[in-house]
Amino acid sequence: EAGVAQSPRYKIIEKRQSVAFWCNPISGHATLYWYQQILGQGPKLLIQFQNNGVVDDSQLPKDRFSAERLKGVDSTLKIQPAKLEDSAVYLCASSLEGTVLTDTQYFGPGTRLTVL
Amino acid sequence: AQSVAQPEDQVNVAEGNPLTVKCTYSVSGNPYLFWYVQYPNRGLQFLLKYITGDNLVKGSYGFEAEFNKSQTSFHLKKPSALVSDSALYFCAVRDMIGGFKTIFGAGTRLFVKA
């Protein structure tokens, strides 16, 4: 079974530039998550999709971050404009049914973003 | 509010010795607890989870975790550590009061010396 795919793996940009990350979840998984992992910290949920609807985006900085999951499969996370504090690893995860508390999340390899 | 604490930034253990990585949590409802491991330049990998029932949960790679409700703890254990177990370990919690959001601890780096 193929895992969660993410691209690119690494990205370096200057502040105020824009950047986009792509994620393809495990086939058949209804729930898709985007996390931000700052160095030395645990992952923090940015947004959670159930199929193509948003379940939770309470921690997404909506003035600069946006995400979409068209057709309920792959997803794109965008930052525009980027700030220095956005430097982090962006992790995508998927699960069969995220509205079940016991559901297990499967993570992609992440995209390491450096903002200069 | 939900929270997870991993009180040790790093745990050092000799190969062949038992290891423990500590985790305590705070939730309003019944907790659902998870352990994940992260190797360099890779995403998190699921190790095990506690749902209900037996307080000792067995997971991947010989790891197990003990749920203690009175101490609100979910410590990760392994009877005999391997050098290849060296990695970053994350404890996580969900509960119904907090919605379906998963809260992760800050992580504990495990170093196993040969």
Side-chain angles (χ1 to χ4, degrees), chain A residues 19-113:
Chain A
V19 65
F21 313 126
W22 174 83
C23 172
N24 187 256
I26 293 173
S27 178
H29 280 193
T31 309
L32 185 147
Y33 314 77
W34 283 103
Y35 287 90
Q36 180 190 58
Q37 185 179 16
I38 293 173
L39 187 64
Q41 299 181 19
K44 181 184 83 171
L45 180 70
L46 292 176
I47 189 167
Q48 177 178 339
F49 291 95
Q50 182 73 9
N51 296 308
N52 59 353
V54 175
V55 173
D56 187 334
D57 64 356
S58 58
Q59 298 186 107
L60 186 74
K62 298 181 185 63
D63 57 334
R64 299 185 298 107
F65 286 65
S66 64
E68 60 182 12
R69 191 185 185 196
L70 300 176
K71 301 180 182 178
V73 182
D74 56 353
S75 175
T76 302
L77 176 70
K78 297 179 181 178
I79 307 175
Q80 179 180 7
K83 293 185 175 181
L84 296 176
E85 59 260 37
D86 298 332
S87 294
V89 175
Y90 290 84
L91 295 166
C92 179
S94 71
S95 65
L96 268 175
E97 179 53 67
T99 53
V100 173
L101 286 169
T102 58
D103 200 31
T104 297
Q105 296 176 42
Y106 297 90
F107 286 80
T111 297
R112 183 177 298 277
L113 174 67

